[in-house]
Structure formats: C-alpha cells, structure tokens
Amino acid sequence: MAAAQRIVIENCSIATVDANDTEYANGYVVIAGNRIEALGAGKAPEGLENVVRRIDASGHLVTPGLVNTHHHFYQWITRGLATDHNLFNWLVALYPTWARIDEQMCYSAAQGSLGMMARGGVTTAMDHHYVFPKDSGDLSGAIIRAAREMGVRFTLARGSMDRSEKDGGLPPDFAVETLEGALAATEATVKEHHDASFDAMTQVAVAPCSPFSVSTELLREGAQLARRLGVRLHTHGSETVEEEQFCKELFGMGPTDYFESTGWLGEDVWMAHCVHMNDSDIAAFARTKTGVAHCPSSNARLAAGIARVPDMLAAGVPVGLGVDGTASNESGELHTELRNALLINRLGAHREAALNARQALRLGTYGGAQVLGRSAEIGSLEAGKLADLVLWKLDTIAHASIADPVTALVFGAAAPVTASFVNGRQIVEAGRLLHVDEDAIARSTRAEAQRLAQITAQA
C-alpha cells in the first residue's frame, strides 16, 4: 500500500479542544491522508516523507472544524418571511409554502445552506428534513447529493410529520405523511444512505419533527426503528412555553416526561432548542446523556427564550450548537453562533459567568461531535482523528489587536476562513468554496425561491 500523502501546516496558533484544552501559541499540524498524524509546538518534525504541500499559517488560529447539530436546509429559499412572529404563528404562516417544495428546490436550498456554513468553517453539517409533499421527488437523495458535492461531512436527520390540522397539529393536512409511510420511508433512507464506518461522510438519523406535529405512535415506533437499525434519534424539544402547554393539555405531562414515556431519552438521542427546561428536565437529560442542539440566534429571532446552557453543562448534558433553519436565522452561519451563544447566555441568570470563549468554541466543535455521536472521530485536534480542521485568519484589522486568538475568534468579528479541510481534503480557499460554483448557487437559490413563491401564490 502506498504511503499516505502529507500536508504540513506550520507557524500557527492551535486550539485543540481536547480533554485538557491543550493550546499551542506557535505550532504545527501534520495531515496524512484523511487523518491527523501529529501536532504540537514549534516546527513540524524533520524528514517527513510524501509531503505534497506545506502551508505557512502565520497569523492564523487552527481549530477543529465546526459541527452543526441542527438545521433545516430547505428554508434557505424562504428566508426573510414572517419576521415578526413567535414560533407557532411563524409555523402557521410558513407551512403552506414549505408544503410545496420539490426535489430541485431542496437541492438548491441545500447547496445554499451548506455553502454558507462551509465558507464559515463548518466541516460537519446536519439537516433535519421533515417536509415530504406527495410526488415531490427524491428529497433526501437531493440533499445528500448537495453535501457530497460540497465536500462536507453530513448527517441527514430523516424527519417526518403525521399530525396535521385535522388531528390538532399545525401542518396543513396535505403536508404530512401517514404513520406507516413515514416509518417505511425512513427505514429505506437509512438502509440506502447510512454509513457506520469511522470516516463516514454520510450518516442518517431517525427524526420525527416535534410533539405537536407527530403522533405518539410515530415517536414511539420511530425510536424503536432507530434502535433496531443502530442509528441516532433527533427531534425538537421544549422550544417554547406554548409547546409545554400543548404537551400538558394533550398528554397530561411536560415535554421531557412525554419524551421519556415514548423512549426518547438516551445517549443516542439529541434534541433541538431545549429552551424551557426545569431542574428535573435537565437532571433527566444528564442522567440519560440525552444531547442538546443549542440554537441561540433562532431562539432569539422567534422570541423563544434563553436556554439554560450553563446549567446543562454543569449537569453533564452534551451540548452542541445549531444554526437552525434559515427562515429563523437568515445568516445561515455557525461561526457567528459561537459569539451569540456566549452573549445571549450572559443575559441569563449566570450573567458574566455563563460561558467563556473556550466553552463557546467547545460547544461548536467537540460538543457538536458528542451530540452527533462522533466524538471519537471529530471535534478535537488529536493524532488519529479525522482531518477536519479550519484555518482562521486573525492578523487583519478585524482581529490583529486582540492578543488571545480564541478570544479574537469568539468575541471578535466573524473571522475569515483561509482554508478548511474535511477528511484531509480542502473544501475552502480564502473564503471561497473550491468544489462548487458559488455564483451559480446564488442564482439558483434566487430562482427557486421565486418559483416557490409563485407556486404558493397560485395555490
């Protein structure tokens, strides 16, 4: 077998986000094939063979690639709508539009969502897609194809809804699947696309949408399906006070107790938002190691509230960061969520002690890897892990006067990405995507947004 080709990155600051938060003020990283072979202080070792590239990363901070743990790619083509609504009113306003998406729209929207994240340092993305209109084409396949072309590592959370307006839910009746249809399609998606290997580029999770859009049967049987297939589970949980009221009125218990009653707490589960959690809810998540995707900008955009992230972390709950759908976070970026998570949590009960810069970076890297069940492979810079890493340029006017590079990255302006690597392959150069045409994506997303708006207006 031929020896792996090596890339050597030198003269950079490094934040490894390992268990000891090891950092190097001036160090190196050696990539061999798709793995991190070595890293440390000073210059790279002499005598390395098969070095195909050396990168002088002076003025840069190298970190693990960012890991996005919650998103809805299709919403890229419905940005800027219902901008002054809370969650339930926002959903009611937008479901009739979302229910008319098709395969080409989903592909284009996925390209836009993935491209914006990748340009900003995301190396592992996920998409919670739960809208499957009848005769709309292969939506899951289109989303996965967009991720493969972009070059990012990807988890598709194959969502579903079977509780529509006639059942007391929010989605229009024509926008949901049947219980049997949703379970069968989810199983088929897992069997076709899920890769359980260490260096998998595509994985699939089972992801009924939310308590107010799916039946108890779909939640319970979805959990059973995921465990039979050996994949993870994802849903929305405890996002708003209205959701809590809905659960109490319909099920006689709060969201966390309801989830536990349907098999939805465990190390193989992560939930988005988890804003309205009391002490016993947090204790239940900690006891079961259920993960949380914290989405600070979306929570603020929809006036949902401030999640108790410091309390979750103190209790031992795995927490990562999420962009959420771009109809509730129009920027579509994750690196800005590092700053927003820190700032918004400081408005809560813990004030200035809520989060610091390194905790925020950990949320966006190792925390996200934990939540996706991939912390052995990604999320920190360590020898033997997959070569998913980012070079942040911190020597421009935006950051040069901030002495500490991690503080500069988190507290400062959105830092430019000079290079981003996934699985040892570079996907971003000087802030531009390498394997797709950004300008073509911009034109396509605009055209598909206009087409969707026209179809909705004519309905």
Side-chain angles (χ1 to χ4, degrees):
M1 182 182 294
Q5 293 186 329
R6 291 184 170 92
I7 298 171
V8 178
I9 303 167
E10 294 182 292
N11 306 318
C12 51
S13 299
I14 303 171
T16 69
V17 200
D18 65 9
N20 299 314
D21 272 330
T22 305
E23 296 181 13
Y24 303 104
N26 184 54
Y28 68 89
V29 180
V30 179
I31 298 172
N34 71 343
R35 306 290 178 96
I36 297 169
E37 183 177 55
L39 70 164
K43 293 287 186 181
E46 298 290 335
L48 291 173
E49 297 180 351
N50 296 316
V51 175
V52 296
R53 186 178 176 195
R54 287 185 177 271
I55 299 174
D56 180 358
S58 301
H60 289 76
L61 170 66
V62 177
T63 71
L66 300 185
V67 179
N68 181 37
T69 62
H70 186 66
H71 209 316
H72 309 294
F73 290 176
Y74 73 91
Q75 292 181 14
W76 189 264
I77 57 174
T78 61
R79 294 191 296 164
L81 305 177
T83 54
D84 302 312
H85 293 53
N86 66 26
L87 175 68
F88 274 27
N89 292 336
W90 175 83
L91 289 170
V92 170
L94 291 176
Y95 267 138
T97 299
W98 293 339
R100 292 176 171 86
I101 59 175
D102 61 25
E103 183 175 336
Q104 180 56 40
M105 291 175 189
C106 277
Y107 173 69
S108 180
Q111 286 186 306
S113 296
L114 287 159
M116 201 65 186
M117 285 188 293
R119 282 168 31 122
V122 168
T123 55
T124 297
M126 71 79 67
D127 182 28
H128 185 192
H129 189 88
Y130 53 83
V131 183
F132 291 89
K134 187 178 179 181
D135 300 323
S136 55
D138 181 10
L139 305 189
S140 295
I143 296 163
I144 289 169
R145 176 162 53 96
R148 185 179 300 119
E149 291 169 353
M150 194 77 59
V152 300
R153 205 175 297 282
F154 181 57
T155 294
L156 174 69
R158 203 292 181 183
S160 51
M161 300 186 294
D162 70 339
R163 182 193 294 276
S164 65
E165 289 174 326
K166 65 179 173 54
D167 307 307
L170 293 179
D173 294 338
F174 63 88
V176 303
E177 299 175 278
T178 64
L179 170 64
E180 297 77 12
L183 292 169
T186 300
E187 181 167 5
T189 302
V190 172
K191 289 182 174 179
E192 182 177 357
H193 295 292
H194 181 70
D195 180 358
S197 64
F198 183 88
D199 55 0
M201 291 297 290
T202 304
Q203 296 196 331
V204 180
V206 175
C209 182
S210 65
F212 48 83
S213 61
V214 307
S215 65
T216 300
E217 292 75 20
L218 182 50
L219 273 180
R220 184 175 290 115
E221 294 186 36
Q224 294 168 356
L225 173 66
R227 288 171 179 136
R228 174 165 60 82
L229 297 175
V231 299
R232 298 181 74 76
L233 300 84
H234 181 59
T235 191
H236 296 87
S238 301
E239 186 172 0
T240 65
V241 291
E242 291 85 0
E243 179 188 333
E244 185 170 5
Q245 293 166 355
F246 178 91
C247 287
K248 287 181 177 178
E249 289 173 7
L250 209 60
F251 312 122
M253 62 186 91
T256 299
D257 291 337
Y258 175 60
F259 282 127
E260 186 155 34
S261 75
T262 56
W264 271 80
L265 295 186
E267 291 187 41
D268 54 357
V269 180
W270 86 102
M271 296 190 197
H273 304 294
C274 299
V275 175
H276 297 279
M277 302 267 282
N278 59 34
D279 290 347
S280 65
D281 296 331
I282 291 175
F285 271 55
R287 168 175 48 82
T288 57
K289 298 301 180 185
T290 304
V292 172
H294 176 45
C295 306
S297 292
S298 177
N299 293 344
R301 157 75 147 83
L302 296 173
I306 302 173
R308 297 173 58 187
V309 171
D311 296 328
M312 294 177 192
L313 295 175
V317 177
V319 182
L321 290 182
V323 170
D324 203 8
T326 49
S328 65
N329 179 2
E330 274 76 3
S331 79
E333 298 176 307
L334 192 70
H335 60 312
T336 54
E337 296 300 284
L338 301 175
R339 184 172 189 260
N340 290 343
L342 184 149
L343 296 181
I344 289 175
N345 279 280
R346 287 190 178 187
L347 294 174
H350 295 274
R351 301 180 63 184
E352 67 276 9
L355 290 175
N356 61 39
R358 283 160 177 81
Q359 287 174 309
L361 178 59
R362 180 170 289 274
L363 288 177
T365 53
Y366 188 82
Q370 277 187 298
V371 163
L372 294 185
R374 304 201 68 176
S375 59
E377 303 129 76
I378 60 173
S380 59
L381 301 180
E382 300 178 68
K385 282 197 163 186
L386 296 170
D388 293 10
L389 53 88
V390 179
L391 281 67
W392 307 93
K393 187 172 177 59
L394 299 178
D395 60 357
T396 71
I397 187 173
H399 303 93
S401 61
I402 304 176
D404 176 58
V406 177
T407 296
L409 177 67
V410 175
F411 278 86
V417 172
T418 292
S420 180
F421 292 85
V422 181
N423 220 40
R425 177 179 184 238
Q426 189 171 352
I427 66 166
V428 174
E429 174 78 33
R432 296 285 292 186
L433 302 170
L434 285 177
H435 306 299
V436 294
D437 185 336
E438 289 187 23
D439 297 330
I441 292 172
R443 291 191 296 270
S444 172
T445 55
R446 182 173 181 82
E448 293 303 317
Q450 292 173 339
R451 184 165 70 90
L452 178 58
Q454 290 168 356
I455 292 171
T456 304
Q458 294 166 2

